[in-house]
Amino acid sequence: MMSSAPLSGGGMVAGGFTRLCKGLAVVLIGGHLVIQIVPSASSYLALIPARTIPFAWNLVTAGYVEQSIYGVVISTIGLLFLGKLLEPIWGPREFLKFIFVVNFLTSVCVFITAISLYYITRQENYLYMPISGFQGVLSGFLVGIKQIIPDQELPLLKIKAKWLPSLAMVLSVAVSFFTADSVSYLPTLIFGTYIGWIYLRYWQGKTEAKLRGDPSDEFAFSTFFPEFLRPVIDPIATVFERMLCGRRSEVSDEGRGYTLGGEPLPGSDPIEASRRRERGARALEERLAAERLAAAGRSEESHTDASENV
């Protein structure tokens, strides 16, 4: 069974951030500084649906440009701390690939939504409102936390990590009722969460198995909702599964593994998915233990130096 011990508060403090996350944090801070120094740059870097054609690059750049100081602070802190947990388990290459795919597809979905809202309402603000920020990728990161350490208890919130994406969505929707510019961030958060789940559920490559994604029941779409809603959500989610992955969505009654030509695919059974989560939890615990040991060593060394000085 996977360990369900709560995350240590000491292991979550500053320190131990990966080089890749630090580099991406510099990109976020740099993007914010650019639009502060040259405000007109937001017209080219942020996602403005009316200008996405021909400025298609803003489907990529928008995710790395924070327009407010609050946004850049939250995104930088979220990137450093969530990346500190996810990158060592996924690996730098997969971590960067996840960010790129989730950011790009989230922007595409937001673009399509904005165009659709314009044609429905004929309000031009949907076409010219600059939309940008890293919140879509951060939402995807929360889905990654749900997948890897679902039963870990958060020390401050006293809830299990598997509820983080759902909690973030509920809070975002609640706040949207009291803010006038919710269109600039709410679709990004929603699509970031969904695209993050799609990527991890169906597309992420696994080095230990030939199967892509995570077919386990514990990571099904309905697990984002309270248990009493799952009988309603499951049939709807099944339709989208068949649209997205075709025959891979055919699940055996006994093993719940994906099938191809009547034979289960390698690594498709829930046991393999459970082992992946166990490895993720074990890697996290080892990392936190190493950080605590290093902190204790530094404290002891400092105490020794002080004693020698005396």
Side-chain angles (χ1 to χ4, degrees):
M1 294 292 292
M2 190 190 321
S3 171
S4 59
L7 292 172
S8 169
M12 296 296 290
V13 297
F17 302 128
T18 67
R19 182 179 300 179
L20 177 56
C21 287
K22 291 177 182 177
L24 290 172
V26 171
V27 172
L28 293 178
I29 296 171
H32 175 70
L33 292 177
V34 166
I35 64 171
Q36 294 302 310
I37 297 172
V38 187
S40 61
S42 63
S43 300
Y44 301 93
L45 299 178
L47 174 60
I48 301 178
R51 298 183 177 182
T52 299
I53 300 174
F55 301 156
W57 60 78
N58 62 32
L59 293 172
V60 176
T61 59
Y64 308 104
V65 176
E66 291 288 351
Q67 300 182 50
S68 69
I69 185 63
Y70 303 105
V72 75
V73 169
I74 293 173
S75 293
T76 301
I77 293 175
L79 168 64
L80 291 174
F81 281 96
L82 295 178
K84 176 182 177 181
L85 299 177
L86 295 172
E87 186 189 339
I89 296 172
W90 288 349
R93 182 176 180 181
E94 181 61 34
F95 182 75
L96 193 60
K97 181 181 176 183
F98 177 88
I99 291 175
F100 178 82
V101 172
V102 171
N103 175 59
F104 175 71
L105 293 183
T106 296
S107 295
V108 171
C109 291
V110 171
F111 169 75
I112 295 173
T113 301
I115 297 296
S116 301
L117 288 174
Y118 166 72
Y119 280 109
I120 293 171
T121 65
R122 291 296 175 178
Q123 296 184 19
E124 292 190 352
N125 63 304
Y126 291 122
L127 294 180
Y128 294 98
M129 176 183 295
I131 302 173
S132 65
F134 200 65
Q135 62 267 23
V137 177
L138 291 182
S139 300
F141 283 166
L142 293 181
V143 179
I145 297 296
K146 168 186 172 67
Q147 179 197 37
I148 293 173
I149 48 172
D151 294 322
Q152 291 280 1
E153 187 176 85
L154 304 177
L156 298 179
L157 300 177
K158 299 300 180 183
I159 63 171
K160 291 184 177 180
K162 64 182 178 181
W163 294 115
L164 278 177
S166 305
L167 179 62
M169 285 298 96
V170 170
L171 291 177
S172 299
V173 172
V175 170
S176 70
F177 289 105
F178 305 98
T179 55
D181 61 343
S182 60
V183 177
S184 65
Y185 68 86
L186 188 59
T188 306
L189 288 167
I190 294 174
F191 286 123
T193 301
Y194 190 62
I195 297 298
W197 176 77
I198 290 289
Y199 182 91
L200 296 174
R201 178 74 167 176
Y202 302 111
W203 300 339
Q204 187 181 53
K206 303 295 182 182
T207 57
E208 71 274 13
K210 295 180 180 180
L211 178 72
R212 289 182 176 272
D214 182 351
S216 64
D217 290 340
E218 292 80 4
F219 196 55
F221 184 70
S222 60
T223 62
F224 287 83
F225 298 86
E227 192 167 352
F228 70 91
L229 290 177
R230 293 177 188 176
V232 179
I233 301 297
D234 277 328
I236 301 174
T238 300
V239 174
F240 284 97
E241 280 194 20
R242 290 174 179 170
M243 291 171 57
L244 287 166
C245 54
R247 296 189 64 182
R248 288 187 61 191
S249 64
E250 297 177 10
V251 182
S252 65
D253 293 333
E254 296 181 1
R256 302 290 294 174
Y258 292 116
T259 63
L260 181 61
E263 295 296 329
L265 287 173
S268 63
D269 58 289
I271 297 177
E272 182 62 38
S274 177
R275 287 173 180 169
R276 287 198 295 268
R277 288 193 296 274
E278 288 177 5
R279 282 193 287 270
R282 188 161 54 248
L284 174 60
E285 291 174 356
E286 290 174 356
R287 183 179 180 85
L288 295 178
E291 289 179 0
R292 288 194 294 268
L293 184 60
R298 287 193 297 269
S299 176
E300 183 178 349
E301 182 180 349
S302 176
H303 180 72
T304 303
D305 292 342
S307 299
E308 290 177 354
N309 291 335
V310 172

